[in-house]
Amino acid sequence: MTRKQERRRRVAQWAGIVGCSAVLALVVWRVAGSPIAALVIIAIGLAVAHRRMIGAAGVPVLTYHSVSPNPSWLPWAQEIAVHPDTFERHLATLRRMKCNVIGTRNYVATRLAGDTLPYRTVLLHFDDGYRDNWLHAVPALRRHGFAGTFFASLDFVEPGDTVRPPDGDDSGYMNWAELRAIEDIPLLEVEPHGVDHARVPVSDRIVGRVTADNWRELAWLQWAATPGPKHDWFRHAEPPAVPIGSPVPESALALAAPQWRDGQREEMLAMEARITRDLARCRTDLSDRISHLPQIFCWPENAVGPEGRRIAADLGYLATTGGRGRNTADEPPHVISRIHMGDRAIGIRIGALEALHLRAAVCLAQGNHYWYLVIGPMNFLRRIVSRLRHAA
């Protein structure tokens, strides 16, 4: 059962029990004229319903991407970027909640050993290797003494073997010197996010056309057509490889689906060989560059199939992302379930509400489903505001 299915089932059961007890109490009050009996029925109903709202303790894994005051270079900034002020408020909230923020390697080693994690353990993940992580997220983590795991895609690492000065534009990606510097900081660690964050065609169905307005949002087409380094893809004024007017095929994440090529679907053995090449290259390149053999693999967009998990384990990865649960003790220790963290909890940025949303996400993942009554309406309002903004 996914965490979304669990929370909906628990809240529905809770609402049903509370509703039925309220109706029964009203009937007893009207028929028997006994308010005390009605109150007893309501109390019993609330007690029974309460048990449905408290689940097994889980470990929230909060996942960030860009942490920047001006992420406009990213076409998908609205979905993945967090302002440094919001990020700072999130960390301050975790501190006030007395959360135990540990690294992913520590978490996985503890789970694999069968040991119990401290109460309110939380993990922080940072995907894609954006330079703003080095400029904004790393200093904030160090101020709070928190651990964090940064996942970089090999083809997007900037060239350069010196740490750049923290000034000017924060667009783009970290270079190898900056990733090594992160690995050298206590509590911080660098792990792989694949080679090229690729998507592949999965059928001959055409779902659109490349235009001057959408080619950046469809950057995967440019990445797929340009093997090798891709760190500067966003600096092009025009599509560098797939021209405007080209068809956009139906697609899926490359490490999770067989690709459509030359009029036929890729055979399973070929797909497994392709996944193996990517994951093996991540092991060798990262160990050569940062002097640490990778232990955790982060699937792009958390998309993975059983073949990918098996290949990762065979290659020596201790755990991978892509789970859909809450990281409870009865879930597999080698599967990490994560929660995407964004900005503007209700569609606009209000500091107190950003902190409330973070608290609700953490407590909900830890098993307290009453917080779904807080986070559900906030998420709904954010979608409404987002649609209104898009329409405008």
Side-chain angles (χ1 to χ4, degrees):
M1 182 189 305
T2 68
R3 62 174 175 265
K4 182 180 291 186
Q5 291 170 334
E6 180 190 15
R7 69 180 59 157
R8 288 178 175 174
R9 188 187 70 172
R10 286 183 178 275
V11 170
Q13 291 175 343
W14 172 83
I17 295 170
V18 170
C20 289
S21 63
V23 171
L24 180 59
L26 181 60
V27 171
V28 169
W29 191 351
R30 290 287 182 87
V31 174
S34 174
I36 294 178
L39 289 174
V40 169
I41 291 172
I42 290 176
I44 294 174
L46 290 173
V48 173
H50 175 74
R51 300 185 62 180
R52 301 307 309 150
M53 293 296 272
I54 306 299
V59 177
V61 181
L62 309 181
T63 304
Y64 296 86
H65 293 76
S66 171
V67 181
S68 171
N70 181 25
S72 57
W73 68 279
L74 283 169
W76 39 83
Q78 188 70 29
E79 289 77 35
I80 68 166
V82 171
H83 194 281
D85 291 347
T86 297
F87 183 64
E88 176 65 34
R89 192 173 288 270
H90 284 180
L91 299 187
T93 302
L94 292 175
R95 179 169 293 282
R96 284 194 298 272
M97 295 174 68
K98 294 181 170 53
C99 291
N100 176 49
V101 183
I102 66 173
T104 309
R105 295 172 194 160
N106 185 0
Y107 163 80
V108 171
T110 303
R111 289 287 315 276
L112 290 175
D115 296 333
T116 302
L117 289 158
Y119 178 63
R120 283 196 169 170
T121 292
V122 173
L123 276 60
L124 300 177
H125 283 185
F126 302 85
D127 286 5
D128 298 338
Y130 297 125
R131 182 170 184 251
D132 57 50
N133 286 186
W134 170 250
L135 297 178
H136 304 296
V138 169
L141 291 173
R142 299 188 73 180
R143 283 196 300 272
H144 288 270
F146 286 167
T149 306
F150 295 79
F151 295 97
S153 299
L154 301 183
D155 280 358
F156 293 88
V157 178
E158 293 265 7
D161 261 339
T162 59
V163 175
R164 293 165 288 180
D167 54 13
D169 186 11
D170 67 1
S171 62
Y173 302 83
M174 288 184 279
N175 63 29
W176 285 114
E178 289 151 356
L179 291 171
R180 280 194 296 271
I182 288 177
E183 182 65 35
D184 290 339
I185 297 172
L187 300 179
L188 303 187
E189 52 200 25
V190 176
E191 295 286 349
H193 193 35
V195 173
D196 53 12
H197 214 290
R199 298 183 71 87
V200 292
V202 294
S203 74
D204 56 2
R205 188 167 74 90
I206 303 303
V207 297
R209 294 278 170 179
V210 177
T211 69
D213 293 329
N214 71 12
W215 76 266
R216 291 178 183 275
E217 296 176 5
L218 296 169
W220 73 268
L221 284 170
Q222 312 302 324
W223 301 343
T226 53
K230 301 172 179 61
H231 58 276
D232 60 349
W233 66 269
F234 62 95
R235 297 190 175 101
H236 292 275
E238 298 178 349
V242 180
I244 290 173
S246 299
V248 179
E250 181 183 16
S251 66
L253 273 297
L255 299 183
Q259 65 178 325
W260 184 266
R261 192 169 186 177
D262 298 328
Q264 58 185 3
R265 183 170 286 104
E266 183 179 36
E267 293 185 358
M268 186 59 66
L269 288 177
M271 185 185 78
E272 291 179 357
R274 179 165 51 79
I275 295 173
T276 301
R277 285 194 299 271
D278 267 36
L279 271 62
R281 182 183 161 192
C282 287
R283 292 272 284 179
T284 57
D285 282 21
L286 256 72
S287 61
D288 289 345
R289 292 284 193 165
I290 64 173
S291 301
H292 176 82
L293 189 63
Q295 299 179 20
I296 319 296
F297 189 85
C298 177
W299 303 103
E301 297 184 34
N302 289 315
V304 58
E307 305 82 13
R309 291 209 190 278
R310 176 180 54 77
I311 291 168
D314 290 345
L315 289 173
Y317 290 100
L318 299 181
T320 65
T321 63
R324 296 179 177 274
R326 293 191 292 107
N327 302 309
T328 58
D330 61 349
E331 294 176 23
H334 62 279
V335 176
I336 301 173
S337 300
R338 310 196 300 168
I339 304 169
H340 169 71
M341 299 305 297
D343 209 339
R344 299 179 178 85
I346 62 168
I348 56 176
R349 186 181 297 118
I350 300 175
L353 294 182
E354 308 308 324
L356 177 62
H357 192 274
L358 182 281
R359 181 181 292 270
V362 169
C363 292
L364 184 57
Q366 289 169 338
N368 186 340
H369 288 80
Y370 285 110
W371 284 97
Y372 187 60
L373 305 178
V374 174
I375 205 171
M378 294 178 80
N379 289 343
F380 177 75
L381 184 56
R382 182 176 64 231
R383 288 193 293 270
I384 295 299
V385 173
S386 177
R387 289 173 184 173
L388 291 174
R389 183 182 292 115
H390 181 74

